[in-house]
Amino acid sequence: MKPKFPIYGYLAEFHDGDELLAAAKRSRAAGFTVMEAYTPVPMEEVAHTLGYRTSLPWIVLAGGVLGACVGFGLQYWTSVIDYPMNIGGRPLNSWPAFIVVTFEMTILFAAASAVLGMLWLNGLPQPYHPVFNVPAFELASRNRFFLMILSRDPRFDMDATKAFMDGLGALSVKEVPH
Amino acid sequence: MSGPKSPHAEGGTPVIGPGHSLASVTDQISKIVLTRKTPMGWFIGLGVAMLGVGLLISAIGWLLWWGTGVWGLNQPVGWGFAIINFVWWIGIGHAGTLISAILLLLKQEWRTSINRFAEAMTLFAVMCAGVFPLLHVGRPWLAYWLLPYPNTMGMWPQFRSPLLWDVFAVSTYATVSALFWYVGLIPDLATLRDRAKSLVWKRIYGALALGWRGAARHWERYETAYGLLAGLATPLVVSVHTVVSFDFAVSVIPGWHATIMPPYFVAGAIFSGFAMVLTLAIPIRRIYGLEDFITMKHLDNMAKVILATGMIVCYGYAMEAFFAWYSGSPYERYMMANRMFGPYGWSYWALITCNLLVPQLLWSARVRSSVAALFAIAIVVNVGMWLERFVIVVTSLHRDYLPSSWGMYYPTVWDWALYLGTIGLFFFLLFLFIRFLPMISIFEMRTLVPATGEEPPKKGLHIASAGASSGASAGEARRP
């Protein structure tokens, strides 16, 4: 499908985090919904202003539960079903001795799901993104704060949105090519 | 971690030198990797470390050619240097996880400037630790038998053995430490990608950064993932040294079969790990002029952690002696008497000097504010913790129940070569790390300064701040 607008969005550059936060709030109040902010430091309020909440903790919980089941299941199956050894009539399912490996597997699976889940939800690795086309954007990993309104936003308009963003008090507003 | 905070939140000495901004923090840390010419000392250090790696390769080669007979192992001492050094290295690694995970959960901001290289230290220490049990199995090419996999023998590993628990604990620990470290590096790799001048490095850092661009929703998930990883790593680090202590405690050897072992091992691990962090941090901050970031506050806090965990370890020594006497078991009592006054008595008293007496100097604020004294004490603690492992392994094994099976243990030159070799490997990896990756977490340091895009003054920033941070920046100011 051919994109509706010739650009990916408008990118406004801010001098500090509070200005960005204020601009994000104003944009949200103005009815924009498809936005993204770029900051050199994590800023929880900005993400919340833009309306993001993450489901990552549930993925990690699921990973941990799966790890516990795999860890205990492996030991139960090998010790009770596949290779039972009767030693003085002691129970085959000697679960206290299985706790350590079960625990380690829980941690391993949960940690792996935290990392892989974070990357997957973030769509990383992603070598190309239109925002990298703006030369000033390399300061996003140093000391500048950026707000982008994407052209996918239902309220987006080439001229009106530009005028709106010019009024946000940004250092500059740039077009982001596709 | 969540947004910029005041650098003076804790009151008293700041955790970052005055006058820093987002830009100056980013520039000063990234230029160590990107633009500054490699210091001559780095080449010399790497060269010496490479000699150690050469020694390691020779020691492993000799061992594989002749077998474990080249070591000083015998009956009754079947666990010599291999286990001593394994436990020592694993313990050193634990401070990295403690600093990065537990102090993060406790919101201790001062951890920010030391967590990255402490995590790297963890990773490298675990690698060095792994060498020993792998070789100690005797036929390392069959080490994969430790893993549960379907095989033609129809056998499974013994899941009721602490030695197998160790396999799972240490391999999980190595994996999670590596994940934690890499996740922490992603935003900094993006910073390096954006600031690298040469196209080759731009591409390398760019590939490693996975396309990180600091989007707000990415940060949100990133912070969640990082916090959860810290929460997972915290019980993990406690479990790892607990499981290592089970290797001893679950046996029936006098001096090993004690319930004090797990907490005493964990405290000892933190004790030795912090000593190693100090041993590394003190020269690094001086050589790279990072006194604004690793301030006296950090050194002071680490010294206090060493003192506190050292006291726990000493409580462990006292309890060991008390249990031996109170148990009424002649074997336990003999073990303790032999440990103190037997043929290896010198090692016990050296251990008490290094781990109990010398760290008491840290009660004094004057000692804690002397960089040279801290460095010396950290080295003494490193030695003391190695002696502790020596005492536990050797004095318990060499005289157990039957006097007819008593013996002595003397490490051979190949034991020492392998041990020194792993120290060489550790420093080799560390030198590569500080040259090619940011040794201080740039994005976390940015959270310590006000979130504005101020440009640093062109010149004189460090000279201006030198007076304020009690002359600590003088080393940096002298640089052109």
Side-chain angles (χ1 to χ4, degrees), chain B residues 388-455:
Chain B
E388 182 199 295
R389 277 59 153 121
F390 179 87
V391 165
I392 291 173
V393 170
V394 176
T395 64
S396 292
L397 280 177
H398 92 116
R399 290 181 178 177
D400 55 5
Y401 295 99
L402 283 176
S404 62
S405 59
W406 286 359
M408 289 294 284
Y409 169 74
Y410 301 103
T412 64
V413 63
W414 293 108
D415 281 306
W416 286 108
L418 190 63
Y419 175 46
L420 293 176
T422 53
I423 294 177
L425 175 67
F426 179 77
F427 281 100
F428 176 69
L429 295 169
L430 201 76
F431 275 112
L432 290 182
F433 161 69
I434 60 178
R435 179 64 189 82
F436 296 111
L437 290 170
M439 68 180 112
I440 294 180
S441 173
I442 304 173
F443 88 92
E444 285 181 281
M445 288 306 283
R446 284 197 292 250
T447 65
L448 294 181
V449 298
T452 70
E454 293 300 333
E455 288 296 327

Side-chain angles (χ1 to χ4, degrees), chain A residues 15 37 82 92 94 122 141-142, chain B residues 27 156 160 194 216 446 453:
Chain A
H15 185 259
D82 193 54
L92 292 173
S94 55
N122 281 348
S141 65
R142 182 166 174 257
Chain B
D27 295 350
W156 293 102
R160 298 179 184 95
D194 294 342
R446 284 197 292 250

Side-chain angles (χ1 to χ4, degrees), chain B residues 131-446:
Chain B
V131 168
F132 290 100
L134 212 58
L135 295 175
H136 192 246
V137 295
R139 287 181 286 170
W141 50 93
L142 296 177
Y144 64 91
W145 283 6
L146 292 162
L147 303 172
Y149 70 101
N151 55 61
T152 51
M153 298 172 281
M155 307 270 279
W156 293 102
Q158 172 54 284
F159 284 108
R160 298 179 184 95
S161 161
L163 299 179
L164 189 79
W165 302 346
D166 235 11
V167 173
F168 277 81
V170 173
S171 55
T172 298
Y173 185 51
T175 313
V176 173
S177 303
L179 286 175
F180 200 36
W181 187 62
Y182 181 62
V183 167
L185 270 169
I186 290 173
D188 286 359
L189 291 166
T191 298
L192 294 178
R193 170 200 64 203
D194 294 342
R195 301 193 49 72
K197 298 273 187 296
S198 97
L199 189 66
V200 176
W201 283 109
K202 243 181 170 27
R203 288 276 153 81
I204 292 174
Y205 288 125
L208 291 171
L210 307 176
W212 182 263
R213 49 192 185 272
R217 81 175 100 180
H218 287 188
W219 276 124
E220 171 85 351
R221 294 188 190 112
Y222 179 89
E223 290 279 278
T224 308
Y226 202 67
L228 287 170
L229 275 180
L232 291 165
T234 300
L236 176 65
V237 68
V238 174
S239 87
V240 171
H241 232 55
T242 300
V243 172
V244 169
S245 82
F246 283 167
D247 293 343
F248 299 91
V250 177
S251 75
V252 293
I253 303 291
W256 287 5
H257 188 61
T259 50
I260 190 81
M261 293 300 248
Y264 153 55
F265 263 55
V266 172
I270 297 166
F271 182 54
S272 65
F274 268 86
M276 190 55 108
V277 176
L278 266 187
T279 311
L280 302 177
I282 287 172
I284 286 176
R285 76 194 273 275
R286 169 124 198 105
I287 293 165
Y288 285 96
L290 295 171
E291 285 95 342
D292 273 3
F293 298 152
I294 304 173
T295 65
M296 285 315 289
K297 171 98 182 162
H298 295 96
L299 303 187
D300 186 66
N301 281 357
M302 286 193 273
K304 286 175 182 164
V305 174
I306 291 177
L307 181 61
T309 48
M311 297 304 281
I312 301 175
V313 170
C314 295
Y315 175 78
Y317 299 152
M319 280 303 114
E320 270 189 327
F322 175 75
F323 286 173
W325 169 74
Y326 193 70
S327 69
S329 155
Y331 303 108
E332 289 283 343
R333 284 187 178 179
Y334 178 74
M335 178 280 300
M336 206 61 217
N338 179 52
R339 186 174 277 187
M340 288 176 176
F341 306 110
Y344 293 107
W346 58 268
S347 62
Y348 186 78
W349 297 113
L351 146 75
I352 293 293
T353 310
C354 291
N355 286 0
L356 175 65
L357 300 180
V358 172
Q360 301 308 316
L361 292 170
L362 295 173
W363 287 104
S364 149
R366 244 187 64 214
V367 171
R368 288 201 309 274
S369 58
S370 154
V371 176
L374 286 177
F375 187 69
I377 292 173
I379 298 276
V380 167
V381 170
N382 285 326
V383 173
M385 283 309 292
W386 188 87
L387 285 167
E388 182 199 295
R389 277 59 153 121
F390 179 87
V391 165
I392 291 173
V393 170
V394 176
T395 64
S396 292
L397 280 177
H398 92 116
R399 290 181 178 177
D400 55 5
Y401 295 99
L402 283 176
S404 62
S405 59
W406 286 359
M408 289 294 284
Y409 169 74
Y410 301 103
T412 64
V413 63
W414 293 108
D415 281 306
W416 286 108
L418 190 63
Y419 175 46
L420 293 176
T422 53
I423 294 177
L425 175 67
F426 179 77
F427 281 100
F428 176 69
L429 295 169
L430 201 76
F431 275 112
L432 290 182
F433 161 69
I434 60 178
R435 179 64 189 82
F436 296 111
L437 290 170
M439 68 180 112
I440 294 180
S441 173
I442 304 173
F443 88 92
E444 285 181 281
M445 288 306 283
R446 284 197 292 250

